[in-house]
Amino acid sequence: MADQNQNNLAIVTTREQPAIPIEQDNSNLLQTDFPDDFIFGSGERSCCSRWKRAEYWDDFTMRTPSRIDDGSNVVVAGDMYNRYKEDIRAMKAMGFEAYRFSIPWPRILPDGRPSAGINRKGIEYYNEVIDTVIAYGMKPFVTLFHWDLPDILQKEYHGLLSRKIVDDFKEYVELCFWEFGDRVKDWTTLSEPWTITTFGYVDGTFPPSKASCPPEVAAAKLPAHESARSTDTAASVPITRSYSDVKYDINLLLCHATIVNIYRTKFQEFQKGQIRIVLNSHWAVPLDKNSPDDVAAVRRAVDFMLGWYLFKSCLVWSLPTKYDRFCSSRKSCTFNFSLQESEMLKGSLDFLGINYYMTYYAKNDTTPEGVGYHADMRVEFSNIDQSGLNIAPWGIYQKLVYIKNTYPNIPPIIITENGVADQNDPKLTAKQACVDPVRVKYHQDHLANILKAIKKNFYEYDTCSQDKVDVKGYFVWSWCDNFEWAQGYTLRFGINYVDFTKNQTRYPKNSAVWFAKFLRDEKEKTMGPPSNKRSIEENSENVPEKRLKAT
């Protein structure tokens, strides 16, 4: 049944009039078009197994290579481990102001807990990475959990399914605050809890592969994270458990709330940093804009990806009726938080990180199959274009408007990931693969739509103007090609090409060239290109000599 109060929803129910016409040329967009305090950065996830015990992705790729599209693993990946200095130097030369990266839990605590031993070599390595970022005049944005659970904890008590994960995660993160918090001022507790829980515990295509949904349902009805998933891969996943005992999403939110509480009570006052969660969500538009049921399906689709986590983190700002809406639409799960835990979750965001990639059509599903997540959502998804990339720059505008108007007192937003993938083509030379016009236009058009949300925020079918959306930053995903989870190395997201057959050599793609012009144009006209060497020397007095090794 359609929401009777649908006029109050921040859902744009049309696809004929996108926020910015697709034929508009945004190639002349400049960094100076954005507010002075808007920050531009690039991001990458650490994916190398060196200097750490296994995380469960290591075990997953090495033990079951058939579950990865190309049978690959994460042993070397993009090799940021060895190439961080040249990469950070190149980021600075292009004009980026921040670098977003993760610190894998097993690199700091190989066996998951301080009592089992602290890897001082790993701590020193990340001290050098952080100091190099700062020496180049950039800001480190550090993610504490990007799906790299120590495999030993998965084997000991099933990882996210146990409340024990909260205490162990707390010990790891508190150690990071002590070791790195004097320089790191931007922390992310969790990156994309929806992705790791839904793919890991519902359809089973990610580790720990505890599927609770028929794989053919998962493959057919759930949109992929960043690209189309292989249905063959999904179909090979056995159903290992019933849905009714799933507690992973609650335990992850408790990890987030606990860490924010620790940071605010013990560290924030003297370290002067900020802390956030990063949430991902596709956008959706109704397959039939004149169907109230399809309009309602759009809202459910967004709630099941974004709202399920954002609502719980923003309880203090939400209307009481939202609780009833969530309970009625996702009946197989309950909140199961104590009063103290709920209080910790309220307002547990200094900033909100949002990852956006694509938009789908959504249709009301009157006959959902199975039980659990997919059946409760009652939504059928379909592509908005024949390519399957589902590129819709106007979707990021509509999504930002939706967040602002659904959660009116939401803290400032940073777009922490935005990008598009190419299928890897081994027949192309590196020079040929660096010609990426789709990616260039993708970033141009998404930036233009973000700028629109910052400058004006209104509904096309509403006479009432709304407040502007407070967006403070944009991070390109990703800096360079890397291991892409269940797709292995079959996809390339980077603005820099990585030759995985020749020592992970980097080559800037056309998208990197465009970003260099976009970010440096005005400064080069007035100041000239900066010297990387001079930048290091000028900042050297602020960095401990034993740590500063960048040259």
Side-chain angles (χ1 to χ4, degrees):
M1 183 175 178
D3 191 327
Q4 298 301 312
N5 197 30
Q6 66 182 39
N7 289 334
N8 292 328
L9 304 184
I11 300 287
V12 180
T13 59
T14 182
R15 57 181 184 270
E16 285 86 356
Q17 297 181 17
I20 292 182
I22 59 175
E23 69 270 15
Q24 182 171 329
D25 180 9
N26 295 306
S27 59
N28 291 323
L29 201 66
L30 295 173
Q31 181 186 22
T32 50
D33 294 329
F34 289 78
D36 291 341
D37 60 349
F38 194 94
I39 190 168
F40 287 92
S42 63
E44 198 66 65
R45 186 255 181 183
S46 298
C47 270
C48 171
S49 297
R50 299 171 183 173
W51 276 7
K52 66 182 177 76
R53 293 283 180 86
E55 61 175 78
Y56 59 4
W57 269 99
D58 298 316
D59 181 73
F60 185 70
T61 59
M62 299 295 285
R63 180 172 48 81
T64 57
S66 62
R67 303 286 295 281
I68 308 301
D69 284 358
D70 57 0
S72 59
N73 58 59
V74 295
V75 172
V76 177
D79 200 23
M80 289 289 287
Y81 172 83
N82 287 309
R83 294 178 173 272
Y84 72 91
K85 291 181 181 179
E86 67 178 86
D87 283 336
I88 293 169
R89 183 185 300 116
M91 291 175 200
K92 177 62 177 180
M94 285 177 62
F96 284 115
E97 303 160 292
Y99 173 39
R100 179 175 174 248
F101 61 95
S102 59
I103 297 179
W105 187 343
R107 285 191 185 170
I108 306 302
L109 299 177
D111 292 305
R113 302 183 181 94
S115 59
I118 298 173
N119 182 12
R120 300 305 308 183
K121 192 174 182 181
I123 290 175
E124 188 59 30
Y125 170 80
Y126 279 101
N127 274 326
E128 292 187 12
V129 173
I130 292 165
D131 288 343
T132 303
V133 173
I134 294 172
Y136 277 103
M138 298 167 63
K139 295 181 178 181
F141 278 62
V142 174
T143 299
L144 293 162
F145 184 72
H146 201 142
W147 317 345
D148 34 36
L149 180 73
D151 190 54
I152 192 171
L153 301 184
Q154 177 61 36
K155 288 181 167 64
E156 179 182 334
Y157 55 70
H158 302 292
L160 301 183
L161 295 179
S162 170
R163 288 278 176 117
K164 293 180 181 179
I165 194 69
V166 178
D167 289 334
D168 286 338
F169 187 62
K170 178 173 63 176
E171 288 190 332
Y172 151 65
V173 171
E174 193 163 0
L175 178 62
C176 288
F177 290 155
W178 280 113
E179 295 289 344
F180 312 123
D182 58 324
R183 288 150 291 144
V184 175
K185 307 304 177 185
D186 294 275
W187 294 100
T188 292
T189 56
L190 313 172
S191 182
E192 296 192 2
W194 176 89
T195 301
I196 190 58
T197 56
T198 305
F199 289 174
Y201 294 89
V202 177
D203 65 16
T205 55
F206 279 18
S209 195
K210 302 293 183 181
S212 62
C213 178
E216 64 275 9
V217 176
K221 296 198 175 182
L222 184 66
H225 165 47
E226 296 163 352
S227 63
R229 293 200 316 278
S230 167
T231 55
D232 293 338
T233 300
S236 67
V237 181
I239 302 174
T240 60
R241 54 203 304 282
S242 65
Y243 190 83
S244 60
D245 63 343
V246 171
K247 308 297 180 189
Y248 46 78
D249 53 351
I250 290 175
N251 291 339
L252 268 180
L253 278 167
L254 286 179
C255 284
H256 162 73
T258 301
I259 296 316
V260 171
N261 183 60
I262 288 174
Y263 187 71
R264 286 176 172 174
T265 57
K266 297 179 63 175
F267 296 93
Q268 194 169 41
E269 182 178 358
F270 64 90
Q271 290 188 350
K272 308 298 184 185
Q274 297 175 322
I275 194 163
R276 67 181 62 82
I277 195 171
V278 167
L279 302 176
N280 67 306
S281 172
H282 308 303
W283 189 240
V285 290
L287 183 63
D288 180 357
K289 66 176 183 177
N290 297 315
S291 167
D293 289 339
D294 284 4
V295 172
V298 166
R299 184 58 183 260
R300 288 197 305 276
V302 175
D303 279 344
F304 270 56
M305 281 192 79
L306 180 67
W308 188 246
Y309 294 97
L310 186 54
F311 164 51
K312 294 178 183 180
S313 301
C314 300
L315 285 171
V316 70
W317 300 309
S318 300
L319 298 174
T321 53
K322 282 186 72 72
Y323 184 91
D324 296 331
R325 176 167 57 79
F326 273 108
C327 287
S328 62
S329 62
R330 195 170 177 180
K331 54 184 178 294
S332 60
C333 287
T334 58
F335 285 91
N336 291 330
F337 292 121
S338 68
L339 179 60
Q340 181 181 6
E341 291 167 346
S342 294
E343 287 299 315
M344 277 199 308
L345 275 166
K346 288 182 180 180
S348 56
L349 303 169
D350 294 332
F351 271 71
L352 172 63
I354 288 293
N355 295 350
Y356 170 84
Y357 289 91
M358 56 186 69
T359 291
Y360 286 87
Y361 287 141
K363 177 184 178 182
N364 183 50
D365 186 357
T366 58
T367 58
E369 301 177 38
V371 296
Y373 182 92
H374 305 291
D376 288 354
M377 192 188 312
R378 307 191 313 281
V379 177
E380 292 183 9
F381 295 96
S382 58
N383 293 331
I384 65 168
D385 58 45
Q386 293 182 348
S387 72
L389 292 174
N390 296 297
I391 297 175
W394 44 266
I396 199 168
Y397 164 78
Q398 294 182 4
K399 181 176 177 179
L400 289 169
V401 172
Y402 163 80
I403 293 172
K404 172 62 180 176
N405 290 283
T406 304
Y407 305 92
N409 297 317
I410 198 77
I413 296 171
I414 292 180
I415 304 301
T416 38
E417 290 183 23
N418 182 232
V420 66
D422 297 319
Q423 288 286 339
N424 180 53
D425 186 348
K427 293 180 291 186
L428 296 179
T429 65
K431 182 177 181 179
Q432 291 171 328
C434 286
V435 179
D436 59 343
V438 172
R439 182 173 293 105
V440 172
K441 184 164 179 54
Y442 180 98
H443 286 292
Q444 291 171 351
D445 292 349
H446 281 77
L447 284 167
N449 275 274
I450 293 169
L451 187 59
K452 177 180 179 180
I454 293 172
K455 290 187 173 182
K456 58 180 179 178
N457 172 358
F458 61 90
Y459 300 135
E460 282 82 346
Y461 294 95
D462 235 338
T463 57
C464 179
S465 297
Q466 308 294 322
D467 293 334
K468 301 172 183 177
V469 184
D470 190 9
V471 186
K472 294 295 189 183
Y474 178 88
F475 283 76
V476 175
W477 195 268
S478 58
W479 168 250
C480 63
D481 298 330
N482 208 336
F483 180 81
E484 293 299 337
W485 315 112
Q487 288 82 32
Y489 300 100
T490 65
L491 298 179
R492 293 180 176 271
F493 271 91
I495 60 173
N496 289 283
Y497 177 89
V498 175
D499 190 336
F500 294 109
T501 67
K502 295 182 179 179
N503 198 33
Q504 280 68 33
T505 303
R506 278 92 159 107
Y507 301 92
K509 300 178 185 178
N510 288 359
S511 52
V513 174
W514 181 82
F515 264 107
K517 294 177 179 178
F518 166 76
L519 294 170
R520 304 300 298 176
D521 187 67
E522 288 297 315
K523 290 184 179 180
E524 288 179 350
K525 288 181 179 178
T526 58
M527 300 171 56
S531 164
N532 292 333
K533 181 178 180 181
R534 181 168 65 250
S535 175
I536 291 234
E537 293 172 348
E538 290 173 351
N539 287 277
S540 61
E541 62 181 358
N542 299 321
V543 182
E545 183 177 352
K546 69 174 184 176
R547 293 177 180 165
L548 185 61
K549 297 181 181 180
T551 57

